[in-house]
């Protein structure tokens, strides 16, 4: 059984997609052991609690320095003997020591077709605003391994989503979640759990 930890900062819709996929059998051989958020108000923590999953908040603001937070984050993840760490809208830079320790065992979902609209400053609605401003006809989502760069690790899966006339960043964001993110993140976890990646 693949032991999964999910790191989130907000509502946890990608977390919900993973939990639903486990329930429906779309993800085989994996279980979410812990959900960790940097945001005490993250609804994702409530989603975890309602499923009986350990929900932990570690806020950088609660520590004297970023180094102390980074150490605490690594210590906390180590407690759960995780096989895979899933970044599902986690808006905190992963410490280098954690990337080294969990090399090729941390994945991220990004709301664009990498290498477009990714890297420093591209997160949340900013990605969709940039796609609309550029006038692209296709956008989508990417699941990739996390390395020391920003959105630069090896790509696992991508799914394209059409940009439609009249799209706002909010409408496009929702379509990308529904048509791409909520499909390929569970698929990537299933593939990893079953040796297909």
């Amino acid at each position: 059984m693949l032991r999964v930890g999910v790191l989130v900062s907000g509502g946890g819709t990608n977390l919900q997609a993973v939990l639903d996929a486990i329930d429906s059998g779309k993800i085989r051989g994996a279980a979410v052991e812990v959900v960790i958020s940097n945001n005490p108000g993250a609804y994702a923590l409530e989603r975890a609690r309602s499923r009986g999953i350990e929900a932990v908040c570690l806020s950088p603001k609660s520590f004297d320095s970023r180094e102390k937070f980074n150490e605490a984050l690594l210590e906390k993840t180590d407690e759960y003997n995780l096989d895979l760490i899933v970044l599902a809208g986690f808006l905190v830079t992963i410490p280098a020591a954690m990337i080294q320790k969990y090399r090729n065992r941390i994945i991220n979902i990004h709301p664009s077709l990498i290498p477009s609209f990714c890297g420093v400053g591209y997160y949340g609605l900013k990605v969709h605003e940039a796609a609309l401003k550029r006038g692209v006809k296709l956008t989508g989502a990417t699941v990739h391994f996390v390395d020391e760069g920003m959105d630069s690790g090896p790509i696992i899966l991508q799914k394209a989503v059409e940009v439609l006339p009249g799209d706002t960043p909010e409408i496009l964001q929702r379509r990308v979640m529904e048509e791409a993110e909520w499909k390929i993140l569970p698929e990537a976890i299933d593939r990893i759990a079953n040796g297909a990646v």
Side-chain angles (χ1 to χ4, degrees), residues 3 8 12-13 24 45 57 59 75 110 122 130 133 137 152 161 164 171 176 179 183 196:
R3 296 173 60 86
V8 293
T13 55
S24 71
L45 294 171
C57 179
S59 171
E75 284 173 17
H110 183 77
Y122 285 104
K133 184 176 180 185
K137 304 303 179 204
S152 60
V161 174
L164 300 177
I171 290 170
V176 168
E179 295 182 11
K183 294 183 179 354

Side-chain angles (χ1 to χ4, degrees), residues 101-184:
K101 183 165 192 173
Y102 289 91
R103 176 79 59 199
N104 294 326
R105 293 192 293 147
I106 306 174
I107 64 172
N108 181 51
I109 181 85
H110 183 77
S112 78
L113 296 173
I114 291 173
S116 296
F117 313 113
C118 66
V120 176
Y122 285 104
Y123 60 90
L125 273 181
K126 294 175 189 283
V127 175
H128 306 292
E129 289 167 354
L132 289 171
K133 184 176 180 185
R134 183 68 181 93
V136 298
K137 304 303 179 204
L138 283 176
T139 186
T142 303
V143 178
H144 64 93
F145 286 110
V146 173
D147 64 9
E148 285 79 3
M150 187 69 69
D151 300 325
S152 60
I155 291 170
I156 301 167
L157 287 171
Q158 291 184 303
K159 186 167 187 349
V161 174
E162 191 175 359
V163 178
L164 300 177
D167 272 350
T168 64
E170 293 79 8
I171 290 170
L172 186 57
Q173 179 182 50
R174 184 72 187 185
R175 188 179 317 109
V176 168
M177 286 192 294
E178 290 174 353
E179 295 182 11
E181 292 180 48
W182 298 348
K183 294 183 179 354
I184 64 173

